[in-house]
Amino acid sequence: MEITTASEQKSLLASLTPGKRTRLRRLLFEFGPGDGTLLLLPIDQGIEHGPRDFFPNPASKDPDYQFRLAAEAGYSAIACQIGLASKYFPDYAGQVPLLLKVNGKTDLPPSDEAFSSTNASVEDAVRLGADAVGYTLYVGSPRQDQDLRQLQTVREECDRYGMPLVIWAYPRGSAVSAKGGQNSFYAIDYAARLAMEMGADVVKLNMPKPDPAKDKDAPAPYDELEVSQEEAVRHVVESAGRSLVVLSGGSRIDDDQLLGQTRHIMEAGGSGVIYGRNVWQREWNEALEIIAQIKEIMLSSVSRIP
Amino acid sequence: MEITTASEQKSLLASLTPGKRTRLRRLLFEFGPGDGTLLLLPIDQGIEHGPRDFFPNPASKDPDYQFRLAAEAGYSAIACQIGLASKYFPDYAGQVPLLLKVNGKTDLPPSDEAFSSTNASVEDAVRLGADAVGYTLYVGSPRQDQDLRQLQTVREECDRYGMPLVIWAYPRGSAVSAKGGQNSFYAIDYAARLAMEMGADVVKLNMPKPDPAKDKDAPAPYDELEVSQEEAVRHVVESAGRSLVVLSGGSRIDDDQLLGQTRHIMEAGGSGVIYGRNVWQREWNEALEIIAQIKEIMLSSVSRIP
Amino acid sequence: MEITTASEQKSLLASLTPGKRTRLRRLLFEFGPGDGTLLLLPIDQGIEHGPRDFFPNPASKDPDYQFRLAAEAGYSAIACQIGLASKYFPDYAGQVPLLLKVNGKTDLPPSDEAFSSTNASVEDAVRLGADAVGYTLYVGSPRQDQDLRQLQTVREECDRYGMPLVIWAYPRGSAVSAKGGQNSFYAIDYAARLAMEMGADVVKLNMPKPDPAKDKDAPAPYDELEVSQEEAVRHVVESAGRSLVVLSGGSRIDDDQLLGQTRHIMEAGGSGVIYGRNVWQREWNEALEIIAQIKEIMLSSVSRIP
Amino acid sequence: MEITTASEQKSLLASLTPGKRTRLRRLLFEFGPGDGTLLLLPIDQGIEHGPRDFFPNPASKDPDYQFRLAAEAGYSAIACQIGLASKYFPDYAGQVPLLLKVNGKTDLPPSDEAFSSTNASVEDAVRLGADAVGYTLYVGSPRQDQDLRQLQTVREECDRYGMPLVIWAYPRGSAVSAKGGQNSFYAIDYAARLAMEMGADVVKLNMPKPDPAKDKDAPAPYDELEVSQEEAVRHVVESAGRSLVVLSGGSRIDDDQLLGQTRHIMEAGGSGVIYGRNVWQREWNEALEIIAQIKEIMLSSVSRIP
Amino acid sequence: MEITTASEQKSLLASLTPGKRTRLRRLLFEFGPGDGTLLLLPIDQGIEHGPRDFFPNPASKDPDYQFRLAAEAGYSAIACQIGLASKYFPDYAGQVPLLLKVNGKTDLPPSDEAFSSTNASVEDAVRLGADAVGYTLYVGSPRQDQDLRQLQTVREECDRYGMPLVIWAYPRGSAVSAKGGQNSFYAIDYAARLAMEMGADVVKLNMPKPDPAKDKDAPAPYDELEVSQEEAVRHVVESAGRSLVVLSGGSRIDDDQLLGQTRHIMEAGGSGVIYGRNVWQREWNEALEIIAQIKEIMLSSVSRIP
């Protein structure tokens, strides 16, 4: 017997309940680039980092700016916390899907025991007409047990209401640092698998950054693997199984790098990207332009249609 | 595209549910100075500091004194805890709106792990005929996750009952101290944004106190910004987006300073002030007089009508 | 404007709901000395200190002894935990009101992080026909937030069922010790106010013990106040506002001191006393005798009828 | 006035609700020795100590052995955890009453912060046809507050369903050790009283072991009392008031000592004994024999019929 | 009296409720080897160890591979977490029973305070059509009390829905290490008993590894017992009483050892084995082959039919 490759597998949406399928298809096919891809706009930096991220483009401080951008540029969805969803999303209802992030934290206290408590519920998401819910899971944190328990409640509510669940899976904590760090292939690969096993419909990951100097501290066989970033992404997508994978851009990077990375992600079986600062830390027209390029690359290089 | 300035934005009340709008409009237009402003009387010092604050004006120790003051001088609302609301508010029902503070703490134990547990519920507020609920959030405290989770419950109840939510957003803890302190522009700006993203309808803040000597420890770009207090307030109001902002007076200050500060707050887009000790730590007639001056300045300098 | 003194204020029962008023009036007017006073018999020493308190009068070890004493001598109520209330109160139902203490602890573990968990509910009190509920709050303890949150539930249930709430407000913890100690005027004054603000209908306090040597560590202006114990009690009663105040005797003291103290308490606006060991650590007849004297003094010196 | 001695008091069952009375009478009068006594068989050593206790008599490892023993020898009840109750009790339903122990722990982790979490509910007991519920309370443990709170829930459910509550009251923790140890008269006496005040219908205690060398560290007057073990038991029974008292045998002791102790317990007002290892760590016929002797002594020396 | 040996006892299923019996019989008689045996396929390594276990056979990384294997090779059930159960089990519904594991953790944080929080509920299992629920209990961990409390909820739900409960009973923590280690006969024996007393229908254990050098630190009589591994397994099966016992293979071992061990387990009264890595860390056809051999041995050496 030979197993099929990821792109040959049966429809990834086949096991979803009607509610989840209806909502997730909106993101994959009705909004954004389409063809089963996901282009997500995150606007949770105001809580995760504070307003400092908005200084490069002061207009971006007004949440309405991002909602308008998401709607006009044609994102698959905008991801934000309850406050923005309540006060800014109503103006754009029906123009761009809402992905309600239900937990979060500031970066003020140290993150060695990272844990993001919920500040909203899946019921809030239903009430607001959201099409997906987002949850940040800190893989490997000393408070991981509390995190998994909290996630259970969110996941069960998602199952009850037919709400797609997007898990931001972030390795964190001293144990992770001691085994190669939070961006190692080992850590990202583990995070991808854990998120899938916990019931994610979509997994959001940071780009794995293979680094032999650090990877030697990871458990076998990761300590001796020599993989390119592209290969690492392919592995990670496989580890996530039937959960779709989106990768993030993080802080702002060079345009060529951004576009090249986008192509690699899509070719490796990724379902899309989540680009925030790389987009709205530039002027409106420049933002529209880069988004257009990103969408074009996504559609031309998508290799796994769910 | 150009974003509009705060004062040109669409009505800040447009996204509120009918219950919230009905109640908040009472504070903004029917009571207090009016014209969409907020003049709040806080009487929670008895729990937050103990009775010591009442010695400068012994009459102020009787809670009835403050309720009478709030009603006769025409405050937008009086903010207090459940005990005062139960035993003193009934005599003034309909004469001044009630803002029920639902959490609090004494200043006896050290505040390095500050957390204010709830002592009342939104349902209490509904039962008592309150027009708003107040919650203290310690931004940056090591127990921030517990705080945000507790706030979720209060916020959800507010949404359920159509009760406006006022968040007292106070930076606290060693991480905050290490980055410029609890009154730095950075910390206050972060607190404003967090409160808005957590669903505040009104954010209560302390005055930011720019101080180059301390601000150099804040993250970029705050470490190199050179802003006046007035500019800082303007930024903070913008960070709070569609949440209204009120600023506090703190311990008693000079009258000129108090009035000047009031004007700056209103001109910077603030929706009002919350003055307690600066008012009731003086004789009755003097209190009425200063309140009249404050109201006059508020109305003449208000720049953003919600 | 001049505020009225405590004794001239409006009826302290005016703001109580019908259920609370009905029950509390039983204690104030139908049982005990009457005329709006409270003479309470506490029998919770068996849990708070263990059986050692019963050795001076072995008969007092039998809970039935205290119930009979409370009924025959004419107390306003007997205060005890769920076990005594379940097994001994039924024989005296209708003969003396029950004040069910719903939390408690032993003195075995150290009390630097004092916290009394509940062991009974307000619903238990309703079921047993109690006329009031008692709760011990450790003001200033490092676990104060947990205490206030627990009290919220008890207070809400009291509001729901119309059950009067008596708060035992005890300053505790190293922060309290560092500011003058648990019996300082500062600490007792703070405790009185906090209890009132948390919704107490009656506040139970220990006698403040002004002591210049210790009081200098209290915050201003307490560090420089020079008040007699009687003045301190008067202040404390004022800090408790519309909550009635009862003061306790503590361990056994001299009869003259006991009676003198009783007079001072009543003259200072206190609503009564809670005397346990000072009564039942003597023979039956002697107990009846001293109770008669206490009642006489209470009625002759009461200065504030609720 | 003279109080009556324990044996002259009114019926100890008089204050029980019908459900509690019905069930407890089964143990006291229908099963076991009768005449208001309790002979309990505990089989929770498998969880509290592990299987090591079964090696002296390998047959005792099979729980069916103990159930058969309890039924054939005529115990008042068998006390065990949920697993045994579910899988072994059904075969003996109606032949011996079930006392469901609802909390427990292993002796693997150290017990300086002893706390037994529940593993079953009173509802489980009702469903299984149990006639009583057992709860272990660690008196004086640093986690005592958590214990008392947990007990509240169990006690309330017992009240709701009319289920008799048996409290295993065990002094534990460094504070107890520092005051004479967990078997001191002081500690056992305190435990008896606390259990009664918390609502126990029956209190299970270990034998107090007066020891002047250790007792000098107990609080007055225990530090100077000189009591025999028999006197100590009498005191303890009095401290438990209207709660019945059963005493345990602990690890295996000499037969004469066992029988003598049984007599002392009954003469001192105890309601019975709880003997496990002293019975089933011997052969079947020897076990039946010693049980017959114990029952005979119990009936001949019982001094307090409830 | 002589007790019967394990294999002569009454039907082990006799005390199960109809729902539990119906479901467990599917695993014991309708699927897998049959004749009352259990051959379980665990696929929770992706969360417990991360994807590293899949490298020896890359095809095994796709969860569909294991489901197909379990169905085609004829396992009694496949054990996995909620994510796999939701996305992969539907394709195999009716072809292989599902055992839903409801708690789990990663091996990233250190395990000295091991505790696996739940990430799914028994209701999830019912909804998904599972025939059993799995729970990992860390026997002896400092957080054991939290674990037992959490297990209570799972066990109660299993009782409510008639869902068989399989407990993975793993000794853990420094106290266990100090007494011979987590694989000692003492520790495994204790774990077997505890799981049974907590209500397990099936207990999953690791193979005990008698080792005189370590066992001397165990409590008497384990410190001086000299038992073979086979004798140890027999003891352990007896300690589990009427709970069925399955033993695991752990990391991959030699085929002869695997098959020999299987025979010993069945002869000692075990009900089956749970083999994951030993099976799917080899090629598909080799896997089918070894499974066939395992099943043959199981059926030929089964000694206790439930």
Side-chain angles (χ1 to χ4, degrees):
Chain A
M1 195 206 79
E2 265 184 25
I3 62 155
T4 55
T5 68
S7 61
E8 294 165 341
Q9 288 181 331
K10 62 173 290 199
S11 165
L12 293 168
L13 308 182
S15 60
L16 297 184
T17 55
K20 286 196 173 205
R21 207 184 300 185
T22 302
R23 290 187 174 97
L24 195 52
R25 282 183 61 89
R26 273 194 209 116
L27 276 65
L28 290 164
F29 296 99
E30 297 176 32
F31 288 86
D35 276 8
T37 66
L38 293 170
L39 175 62
L40 306 175
L41 183 71
I43 175 62
D44 59 353
Q45 295 80 3
I47 150 169
E48 299 289 340
H49 309 149
R52 64 184 158 90
D53 284 357
F54 305 128
F55 282 82
N57 175 20
S60 68
K61 191 174 181 177
D62 182 358
D64 184 72
Y65 181 90
Q66 271 102 351
F67 277 84
R68 190 175 305 178
L69 184 64
E72 294 196 7
Y75 265 86
S76 307
I78 186 167
C80 66
Q81 305 278 341
I82 186 70
L84 300 193
S86 299
K87 295 206 186 300
Y88 295 89
F89 175 68
D91 292 345
Y92 297 91
Q95 299 178 53
V96 62
L98 174 64
L99 191 172
L100 183 69
K101 201 67 197 329
V102 295
N103 67 343
K105 64 173 190 57
T106 73
D107 65 358
L108 286 162
S111 68
D112 40 306
E113 303 213 339
F115 172 71
S116 263
S117 57
T118 58
N119 52 58
S121 67
V122 177
E123 212 173 293
D124 282 318
V126 173
R127 176 172 55 82
L128 291 165
D131 279 319
V133 150
Y135 182 92
T136 296
L137 176 70
Y138 290 115
V139 180
S141 165
R143 296 176 70 186
Q144 181 181 269
D145 61 292
Q146 194 179 354
D147 211 347
L148 292 174
R149 180 62 191 80
Q150 182 179 258
L151 173 56
Q152 175 185 348
T153 300
V154 172
R155 198 263 313 148
E156 285 177 347
E157 294 291 299
C158 282
D159 281 343
R160 176 172 307 155
Y161 292 110
M163 183 66 68
L165 172 60
V166 184
I167 297 183
W168 271 242
Y170 290 165
R172 283 289 184 286
S174 59
V176 169
S177 302
K179 294 178 182 177
Q182 63 190 50
N183 293 317
S184 70
F185 171 33
Y186 163 67
I188 302 285
D189 204 25
Y190 203 153
R193 179 81 186 197
L194 179 63
M196 182 265 277
E197 297 223 9
M198 293 299 98
D201 298 307
V202 180
V203 185
K204 189 271 188 184
L205 300 166
N206 288 321
M207 286 296 284
K209 297 193 179 147
D211 176 348
K214 290 180 167 178
D215 292 344
K216 66 173 171 35
D217 299 326
Y222 295 92
D223 55 347
E224 300 197 338
L225 289 177
E226 295 194 3
V227 296
S228 66
Q229 189 176 48
E230 203 178 343
E231 288 167 328
V233 172
R234 194 175 300 275
H235 271 284
V236 162
V237 167
E238 280 176 20
S239 290
R242 289 183 185 161
S243 304
L244 308 184
V245 173
V246 295
L247 285 134
S248 63
S251 55
R252 191 160 173 195
I253 54 176
D254 176 77
D255 278 12
D256 285 347
Q257 196 186 339
L258 186 70
L259 295 172
Q261 166 186 301
T262 304
R263 181 180 310 278
H264 291 159
I265 290 168
M266 300 310 291
E267 288 174 349
S271 293
V273 293
I274 176 162
Y275 290 163
R277 284 168 285 171
N278 274 291
V279 167
W280 47 252
Q281 280 185 353
R282 58 182 91 201
E283 294 300 312
W284 179 262
N285 288 329
E286 289 174 39
L288 289 183
E289 210 171 299
I290 192 77
I291 296 169
Q293 294 178 49
I294 291 166
K295 291 170 81 167
E296 195 186 317
I297 285 176
M298 286 178 68
L299 289 175
S300 66
S301 54
V302 56
S303 63
R304 185 203 202 195
I305 295 180
Chain B
M1 194 205 81
E2 264 185 29
I3 62 154
T4 55
T5 67
S7 61
E8 294 166 341
Q9 288 181 330
K10 62 174 291 198
S11 166
L12 293 167
L13 307 182
S15 60
L16 297 184
T17 56
K20 287 196 172 204
R21 207 184 300 184
T22 302
R23 291 187 173 97
L24 195 52
R25 283 183 61 90
R26 274 195 207 114
L27 276 65
L28 290 163
F29 296 99
E30 297 177 33
F31 289 87
D35 275 8
T37 67
L38 293 170
L39 175 61
L40 306 175
L41 183 70
I43 175 61
D44 59 352
Q45 295 79 2
I47 150 169
E48 299 290 340
H49 310 148
R52 63 183 159 91
D53 283 357
F54 306 128
F55 282 82
N57 175 18
S60 67
K61 191 174 179 177
D62 181 358
D64 184 72
Y65 182 89
Q66 271 103 349
F67 278 85
R68 189 174 305 178
L69 185 63
E72 295 197 7
Y75 266 86
S76 307
I78 185 167
C80 65
Q81 306 277 343
I82 186 70
L84 300 194
S86 299
K87 296 207 186 300
Y88 295 88
F89 174 68
D91 292 345
Y92 298 91
Q95 298 178 53
V96 63
L98 173 66
L99 191 172
L100 183 69
K101 201 67 196 329
V102 295
N103 67 343
K105 65 174 190 55
T106 74
D107 66 357
L108 286 162
S111 68
D112 39 306
E113 302 212 340
F115 172 71
S116 263
S117 57
T118 58
N119 53 57
S121 66
V122 177
E123 212 173 294
D124 281 318
V126 173
R127 176 172 54 84
L128 290 166
D131 279 320
V133 151
Y135 182 92
T136 296
L137 176 70
Y138 290 116
V139 180
S141 165
R143 295 176 70 186
Q144 181 182 269
D145 61 292
Q146 193 178 355
D147 211 346
L148 292 174
R149 180 61 191 80
Q150 182 179 258
L151 173 56
Q152 175 184 349
T153 300
V154 172
R155 197 262 313 146
E156 285 177 348
E157 294 292 299
C158 282
D159 281 342
R160 175 172 309 155
Y161 292 111
M163 183 65 70
L165 172 61
V166 184
I167 297 183
W168 271 240
Y170 290 165
R172 283 288 185 286
S174 59
V176 169
S177 302
K179 294 178 181 175
Q182 63 189 50
N183 293 317
S184 69
F185 171 32
Y186 163 67
I188 302 285
D189 204 26
Y190 203 153
R193 179 81 186 198
L194 178 62
M196 182 265 278
E197 297 223 10
M198 292 299 98
D201 298 308
V202 181
V203 185
K204 189 271 187 184
L205 300 165
N206 288 322
M207 287 295 284
K209 298 192 177 149
D211 176 346
K214 289 180 167 179
D215 292 344
K216 67 173 170 36
D217 299 326
Y222 294 92
D223 54 347
E224 299 197 338
L225 290 177
E226 294 195 3
V227 296
S228 66
Q229 189 175 47
E230 204 179 341
E231 288 167 328
V233 172
R234 194 176 301 273
H235 271 284
V236 161
V237 167
E238 279 177 18
S239 290
R242 289 183 184 162
S243 304
L244 308 184
V245 174
V246 296
L247 286 134
S248 64
S251 55
R252 189 158 176 197
I253 53 177
D254 176 76
D255 279 11
D256 284 348
Q257 196 186 340
L258 187 70
L259 296 172
Q261 165 186 302
T262 304
R263 182 181 309 277
H264 291 159
I265 290 168
M266 301 310 291
E267 288 175 348
S271 292
V273 293
I274 177 162
Y275 289 163
R277 284 168 286 171
N278 274 292
V279 167
W280 49 251
Q281 280 185 351
R282 58 183 92 202
E283 293 301 313
W284 179 261
N285 289 330
E286 289 174 39
L288 289 183
E289 208 170 302
I290 191 77
I291 295 168
Q293 294 178 49
I294 291 167
K295 291 169 80 167
E296 196 185 318
I297 286 178
M298 286 178 68
L299 289 175
S300 67
S301 54
V302 57
S303 64
R304 185 203 203 195
I305 295 180
Chain C
M1 193 205 82
E2 264 185 26
I3 62 154
T4 54
T5 67
S7 61
E8 294 166 341
Q9 288 180 330
K10 62 175 288 199
S11 165
L12 293 167
L13 307 182
S15 60
L16 297 184
T17 56
K20 287 196 172 204
R21 207 184 300 184
T22 302
R23 291 187 172 97
L24 194 53
R25 282 184 61 90
R26 275 195 206 114
L27 275 65
L28 289 163
F29 295 100
E30 297 177 33
F31 289 87
D35 276 7
T37 67
L38 292 170
L39 176 61
L40 306 175
L41 184 71
I43 174 61
D44 59 352
Q45 296 79 3
I47 151 168
E48 299 290 340
H49 310 149
R52 63 184 159 89
D53 283 358
F54 306 128
F55 281 83
N57 175 17
S60 68
K61 191 174 181 177
D62 182 358
D64 184 72
Y65 181 90
Q66 272 102 349
F67 277 85
R68 189 174 306 178
L69 184 64
E72 294 197 7
Y75 267 85
S76 306
I78 185 167
C80 65
Q81 305 277 341
I82 185 71
L84 300 193
S86 299
K87 295 206 186 299
Y88 295 88
F89 175 68
D91 292 345
Y92 297 91
Q95 298 177 53
V96 63
L98 173 65
L99 191 171
L100 183 69
K101 204 60 199 333
V102 295
N103 65 344
K105 64 171 191 58
T106 74
D107 65 358
L108 286 163
S111 68
D112 40 306
E113 302 212 340
F115 172 71
S116 264
S117 57
T118 59
N119 53 58
S121 67
V122 177
E123 213 174 292
D124 281 317
V126 174
R127 176 172 54 84
L128 291 166
D131 279 319
V133 150
Y135 182 92
T136 296
L137 176 70
Y138 290 115
V139 180
S141 165
R143 295 176 71 185
Q144 179 181 271
D145 61 293
Q146 193 179 354
D147 212 346
L148 292 173
R149 180 62 191 80
Q150 182 179 258
L151 173 56
Q152 176 185 349
T153 300
V154 172
R155 197 264 311 147
E156 285 177 348
E157 294 292 299
C158 283
D159 282 342
R160 176 172 308 155
Y161 292 110
M163 183 65 68
L165 172 61
V166 184
I167 297 183
W168 272 241
Y170 290 165
R172 283 289 184 287
S174 58
V176 169
S177 302
K179 294 179 181 175
Q182 63 189 50
N183 293 318
S184 69
F185 171 33
Y186 164 67
I188 302 283
D189 204 25
Y190 204 153
R193 179 80 186 197
L194 179 63
M196 182 267 277
E197 297 222 12
M198 293 299 98
D201 298 306
V202 181
V203 184
K204 188 270 187 187
L205 300 165
N206 288 321
M207 288 294 284
K209 297 192 178 150
D211 176 347
K214 289 180 167 180
D215 292 344
K216 66 174 171 34
D217 299 325
Y222 294 93
D223 55 347
E224 299 198 338
L225 290 177
E226 294 195 2
V227 296
S228 66
Q229 189 176 46
E230 203 178 343
E231 289 167 327
V233 171
R234 195 176 300 273
H235 271 285
V236 162
V237 167
E238 279 177 19
S239 290
R242 289 183 184 162
S243 304
L244 307 184
V245 174
V246 296
L247 285 134
S248 63
S251 55
R252 189 158 176 196
I253 53 177
D254 176 77
D255 279 11
D256 283 349
Q257 196 185 340
L258 187 71
L259 296 172
Q261 166 186 300
T262 304
R263 181 180 310 278
H264 291 158
I265 290 167
M266 301 310 291
E267 288 175 349
S271 292
V273 293
I274 176 162
Y275 288 164
R277 283 168 285 172
N278 275 292
V279 168
W280 48 251
Q281 280 185 352
R282 56 183 93 202
E283 294 301 313
W284 179 261
N285 289 329
E286 289 174 39
L288 289 183
E289 209 169 300
I290 192 76
I291 295 168
Q293 293 178 52
I294 291 166
K295 291 169 81 167
E296 195 185 318
I297 286 176
M298 286 177 68
L299 289 175
S300 67
S301 53
V302 57
S303 64
R304 185 204 202 195
I305 295 179
Chain D
M1 195 205 79
E2 265 185 26
I3 62 154
T4 55
T5 68
S7 62
E8 295 166 341
Q9 287 180 330
K10 62 174 288 197
S11 166
L12 293 167
L13 308 182
S15 60
L16 297 184
T17 56
K20 287 196 172 204
R21 206 184 301 185
T22 302
R23 291 188 172 96
L24 195 53
R25 283 184 59 90
R26 275 196 206 114
L27 276 65
L28 289 163
F29 295 100
E30 297 177 34
F31 288 86
D35 276 7
T37 66
L38 292 170
L39 176 61
L40 305 176
L41 183 70
I43 174 60
D44 60 352
Q45 296 79 0
I47 150 168
E48 299 289 340
H49 310 149
R52 63 184 160 89
D53 283 357
F54 305 128
F55 282 82
N57 175 18
S60 68
K61 191 174 181 177
D62 182 358
D64 184 72
Y65 182 91
Q66 271 101 350
F67 277 85
R68 190 174 304 178
L69 185 65
E72 294 195 8
Y75 266 84
S76 305
I78 185 167
C80 65
Q81 304 278 341
I82 186 71
L84 300 193
S86 299
K87 295 207 186 299
Y88 295 89
F89 174 67
D91 292 346
Y92 297 91
Q95 299 178 52
V96 62
L98 174 65
L99 191 172
L100 183 69
K101 205 59 200 331
V102 294
N103 65 344
K105 64 171 189 60
T106 74
D107 65 358
L108 285 163
S111 67
D112 40 306
E113 301 212 342
F115 172 71
S116 265
S117 58
T118 58
N119 52 59
S121 66
V122 178
E123 212 175 294
D124 282 317
V126 174
R127 176 172 55 83
L128 291 166
D131 279 319
V133 150
Y135 182 93
T136 296
L137 176 70
Y138 290 115
V139 180
S141 164
R143 296 175 71 186
Q144 179 181 272
D145 62 292
Q146 193 178 356
D147 212 347
L148 292 173
R149 181 62 191 80
Q150 183 179 257
L151 173 56
Q152 176 185 349
T153 300
V154 172
R155 196 264 310 148
E156 285 177 348
E157 294 290 299
C158 282
D159 282 342
R160 176 172 308 155
Y161 292 110
M163 183 66 68
L165 172 61
V166 184
I167 296 183
W168 271 241
Y170 290 165
R172 283 289 184 285
S174 58
V176 169
S177 302
K179 293 179 183 177
Q182 63 189 50
N183 293 318
S184 69
F185 171 33
Y186 163 67
I188 302 284
D189 205 26
Y190 204 152
R193 180 80 186 198
L194 178 63
M196 182 267 276
E197 298 223 12
M198 293 299 98
D201 299 306
V202 180
V203 185
K204 188 269 186 187
L205 300 165
N206 288 321
M207 287 294 284
K209 297 191 178 150
D211 176 347
K214 289 180 167 180
D215 292 344
K216 67 174 171 34
D217 299 326
Y222 294 94
D223 56 346
E224 298 198 338
L225 290 178
E226 295 195 2
V227 296
S228 66
Q229 189 176 46
E230 202 178 344
E231 289 168 327
V233 172
R234 194 175 301 275
H235 271 285
V236 162
V237 167
E238 280 176 19
S239 290
R242 289 183 184 162
S243 303
L244 308 184
V245 174
V246 296
L247 285 133
S248 63
S251 54
R252 190 159 174 195
I253 54 176
D254 175 77
D255 278 12
D256 284 348
Q257 196 185 340
L258 187 71
L259 296 171
Q261 165 187 301
T262 304
R263 181 180 310 277
H264 291 159
I265 290 167
M266 300 311 291
E267 288 174 350
S271 293
V273 292
I274 176 163
Y275 288 163
R277 282 168 287 171
N278 274 291
V279 168
W280 47 251
Q281 279 186 351
R282 57 182 93 202
E283 294 301 313
W284 179 262
N285 288 330
E286 288 175 40
L288 289 183
E289 211 170 299
I290 191 76
I291 295 168
Q293 293 178 50
I294 291 166
K295 290 169 82 167
E296 196 186 317
I297 286 177
M298 286 177 68
L299 289 175
S300 67
S301 54
V302 57
S303 63
R304 185 204 203 193
I305 295 179
Chain E
M1 194 206 81
E2 264 185 27
I3 61 154
T4 55
T5 68
S7 61
E8 295 166 341
Q9 288 181 330
K10 62 174 290 198
S11 165
L12 293 167
L13 308 182
S15 60
L16 297 184
T17 55
K20 287 196 173 205
R21 206 184 300 185
T22 302
R23 291 188 173 97
L24 195 52
R25 283 184 60 90
R26 274 195 207 115
L27 276 64
L28 290 163
F29 295 100
E30 297 177 34
F31 288 86
D35 276 7
T37 66
L38 292 170
L39 175 62
L40 305 175
L41 183 70
I43 174 61
D44 60 352
Q45 295 80 1
I47 152 169
E48 299 289 340
H49 309 149
R52 64 184 159 90
D53 284 357
F54 305 128
F55 283 82
N57 175 19
S60 68
K61 191 174 179 177
D62 182 358
D64 184 72
Y65 182 90
Q66 270 102 352
F67 277 85
R68 190 175 305 180
L69 185 64
E72 293 195 8
Y75 266 85
S76 306
I78 185 166
C80 65
Q81 305 278 341
I82 185 70
L84 299 194
S86 299
K87 295 206 186 302
Y88 295 89
F89 174 67
D91 292 345
Y92 298 91
Q95 299 178 52
V96 62
L98 174 65
L99 190 172
L100 183 69
K101 205 59 202 330
V102 295
N103 67 343
K105 64 172 189 57
T106 73
D107 64 358
L108 286 163
S111 68
D112 40 305
E113 302 211 341
F115 172 71
S116 264
S117 58
T118 58
N119 52 58
S121 67
V122 177
E123 213 174 292
D124 282 318
V126 173
R127 176 172 54 83
L128 290 166
D131 279 319
V133 150
Y135 182 91
T136 296
L137 176 70
Y138 290 114
V139 180
S141 164
R143 296 176 69 185
Q144 179 182 272
D145 61 292
Q146 194 179 354
D147 212 347
L148 293 173
R149 181 62 191 79
Q150 182 180 257
L151 173 56
Q152 176 185 348
T153 299
V154 172
R155 197 263 312 148
E156 285 177 347
E157 294 291 299
C158 282
D159 282 343
R160 176 173 308 155
Y161 293 110
M163 183 65 68
L165 172 60
V166 184
I167 297 183
W168 271 242
Y170 290 164
R172 282 289 184 287
S174 58
V176 169
S177 301
K179 293 178 182 176
Q182 63 189 50
N183 292 317
S184 69
F185 171 33
Y186 164 67
I188 302 284
D189 204 25
Y190 204 152
R193 179 81 185 197
L194 178 63
M196 182 267 276
E197 297 222 11
M198 292 299 98
D201 299 306
V202 180
V203 185
K204 189 270 186 184
L205 299 165
N206 288 321
M207 287 294 285
K209 298 192 177 148
D211 176 348
K214 290 180 166 179
D215 292 344
K216 65 174 172 35
D217 300 326
Y222 294 93
D223 55 347
E224 299 197 339
L225 290 177
E226 295 194 2
V227 296
S228 66
Q229 189 176 46
E230 203 178 341
E231 289 168 328
V233 172
R234 194 176 301 275
H235 271 285
V236 162
V237 167
E238 280 176 20
S239 290
R242 289 182 185 162
S243 304
L244 307 184
V245 173
V246 296
L247 284 134
S248 63
S251 55
R252 190 158 175 196
I253 54 176
D254 176 77
D255 279 11
D256 285 348
Q257 196 185 340
L258 186 71
L259 296 171
Q261 166 186 302
T262 304
R263 182 180 309 279
H264 291 159
I265 290 167
M266 300 310 291
E267 288 174 350
S271 292
V273 292
I274 176 163
Y275 288 163
R277 283 169 286 171
N278 275 291
V279 167
W280 47 251
Q281 279 185 351
R282 58 181 93 201
E283 294 300 312
W284 179 262
N285 289 329
E286 289 175 38
L288 289 183
E289 211 170 299
I290 191 77
I291 295 169
Q293 294 178 47
I294 290 166
K295 290 169 81 166
E296 196 186 317
I297 286 178
M298 286 178 67
L299 289 175
S300 67
S301 53
V302 57
S303 64
R304 185 203 202 194
I305 295 179

